[in-house]
């Protein structure tokens, strides 16, 4: 597979204020963005910015959107790689591809976002692959992270925090957990996305104990059904009027 087929071209602009976070996560993300905006000023005082972030937690709770929002806030391009597509039977080729992706992001001064980080960052004690090969891959990643430029930004995401090698975990200055939304948070989210639709379509039952992504899919599916139903009804009415 060609390297550029592994990289997702994404130009979607997401604002940090459009996302829902815990107050803790919001404060940490705001601080990260400020540090990178004032990188040169902080450098004068030998103060290093935090540039390696791990986002972990339940699927569909905003990790990818967060990475995009950070890139938007910093007016940077984002290089998105789903690491599940990167794994190659020949571990040397996987290491080579990972290095090429790091080089691409650094050259373009882009935010590098590695999704499903556990796919290549698994513990070196993992039994699901040859231990020696996994060790070599993890060691390659550790070196790439250690030499990642201070003015660049690496964001990794995983749903399986506990499966990642502890030596890798230590490389991340910031580790933010994304929890499933509670009832109050979901209600606020429903109200926000429903506000884009006509008032008479907004009265739908809310679903709970689901992620933000699942809630969004539910609303959009329900809206499409209702809109299509209205259009079909109007078409039927027009046919009746025409036949009279």
């Amino acid at each position: 597979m060609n390297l550029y087929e592994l990289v997702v071209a994404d130009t979607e602009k997401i604002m940090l204020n459009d996302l829902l976070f815990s107050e803790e996560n919001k404060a940490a993300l705001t601080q990260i963005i400020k540090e990178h905006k004032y990188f040169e000023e902080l450098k004068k005082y030998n103060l290093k910015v935090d540039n390696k972030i791990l986002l972990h937690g339940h699927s569909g709770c905003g990790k990818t959107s967060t990475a995009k929002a950070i890139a938007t806030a910093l007016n940077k391009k984002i290089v998105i790689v789903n690491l599940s597509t990167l794994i190659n039977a020949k571990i040397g080729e996987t290491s080579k591809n990972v290095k090429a992706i790091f080089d691409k992001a650094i050259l373009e001064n882009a935010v590098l976002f590695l999704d499903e980080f556990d796919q290549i960052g698994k513990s070196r004690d993992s039994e699901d692959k040859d231990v020696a090969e996994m060790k070599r891959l993890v060691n390659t990643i550790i070196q790439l992270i250690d030499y990642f430029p201070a003015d660049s930004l690496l964001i990794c995401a995983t749903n399986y925090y506990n499966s990642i090698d502890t030596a890798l975990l230590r490389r991340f200055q910031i580790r933010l957990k994304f929890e499933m939304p509670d009832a109050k948070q979901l209600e606020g989210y429903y109200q926000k996305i429903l506000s884009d639709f006509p008032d008479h379509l907004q009265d739908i039952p809310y679903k709970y104990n689901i992620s933000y992504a699942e809630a969004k899919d539910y609303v959009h599916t329900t809206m499409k059904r209702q809109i299509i139903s209205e259009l079909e009804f109007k078409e039927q009415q027009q046919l009746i009027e025409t036949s009279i």
Side-chain angles (χ1 to χ4, degrees), residues 54-229:
L54 180 66
L55 311 178
H56 62 98
H58 196 281
S59 177
C61 290
K63 297 187 289 296
T64 302
S65 296
T66 297
K68 291 178 182 179
I70 292 172
T72 299
L74 295 174
N75 197 27
K76 286 178 177 280
K77 177 181 176 182
I78 184 167
V79 173
I80 300 177
V81 182
N82 187 318
L83 293 176
S84 64
T85 65
L86 189 69
I87 302 303
N88 193 293
K90 297 178 181 179
I91 208 76
E93 289 186 19
T94 300
S95 297
K96 180 182 175 182
N97 285 337
V98 172
K99 184 180 185 306
I101 287 167
F102 270 73
D103 290 343
K104 172 181 170 64
I106 293 167
L107 182 65
E108 296 179 0
N109 192 26
V111 173
L112 176 55
F113 178 60
L114 303 181
D115 199 7
E116 296 196 29
F117 186 63
D118 49 278
Q119 291 293 320
I120 61 171
K122 288 180 180 177
S123 170
R124 283 167 285 187
D125 295 327
S126 175
E127 296 177 359
D128 62 351
K129 283 196 175 186
D130 180 78
V131 174
E133 290 185 346
M134 182 54 68
K135 281 184 177 179
R136 285 197 292 273
L137 177 55
V138 173
N139 287 338
T140 296
I141 300 164
I142 287 173
Q143 290 174 5
L144 288 170
I145 292 176
D146 284 347
Y147 289 101
F148 197 66
D151 59 347
S152 296
L153 185 57
L154 171 66
I155 306 174
C156 298
T158 179
N159 301 337
Y160 303 101
Y161 180 87
N162 293 328
S163 72
I164 295 176
D165 193 274
T166 53
L168 268 173
L169 289 176
R170 288 197 298 270
R171 263 64 189 181
F172 294 95
Q173 304 111 331
I174 305 292
R175 285 171 265 176
L176 302 179
K177 186 173 183 179
F178 284 65
E179 306 275 7
M180 284 282 282
D182 59 27
K184 185 178 179 182
Q185 289 171 323
L186 272 175
E187 286 169 2
Y189 186 65
Y190 279 124
Q191 290 166 11
K192 181 177 180 180
I193 55 179
L194 283 168
S195 65
D196 292 333
F197 299 96
D199 291 344
H200 71 281
L201 296 179
Q202 294 182 22
D203 188 19
I204 66 171
Y206 292 171
K207 283 187 177 181
Y208 296 95
N209 298 315
I210 60 177
S211 68
Y212 289 123
E214 290 168 323
K216 184 177 182 179
D217 287 343
Y218 163 64
V219 169
H220 284 183
T221 299
T222 304
M223 289 300 110
K224 285 185 286 186
R225 189 186 305 118
Q226 291 187 145
I227 291 167
I228 290 170
S229 179

Side-chain angles (χ1 to χ4, degrees), residues 38-48:
Y38 298 105
F39 175 83
E40 292 299 332
E41 288 79 1
L42 294 173
K43 186 179 178 182
K44 293 174 184 176
Y45 296 94
N46 293 318
L47 293 170
K48 295 181 179 179

Side-chain angles (χ1 to χ4, degrees), residues 15-34 55 66 70 174 176-178 185 192:
M15 306 304 292
L16 204 63
N17 288 337
D18 292 335
L19 303 178
L20 299 174
F21 305 103
S22 66
E23 288 303 314
E24 225 179 328
N25 283 3
K26 187 173 183 179
L29 293 167
T30 301
Q31 176 66 18
I32 290 163
I33 290 166
K34 287 180 178 179
L55 311 178
T66 297
I70 292 172
I174 305 292
L176 302 179
K177 186 173 183 179
F178 284 65
Q185 289 171 323
K192 181 177 180 180

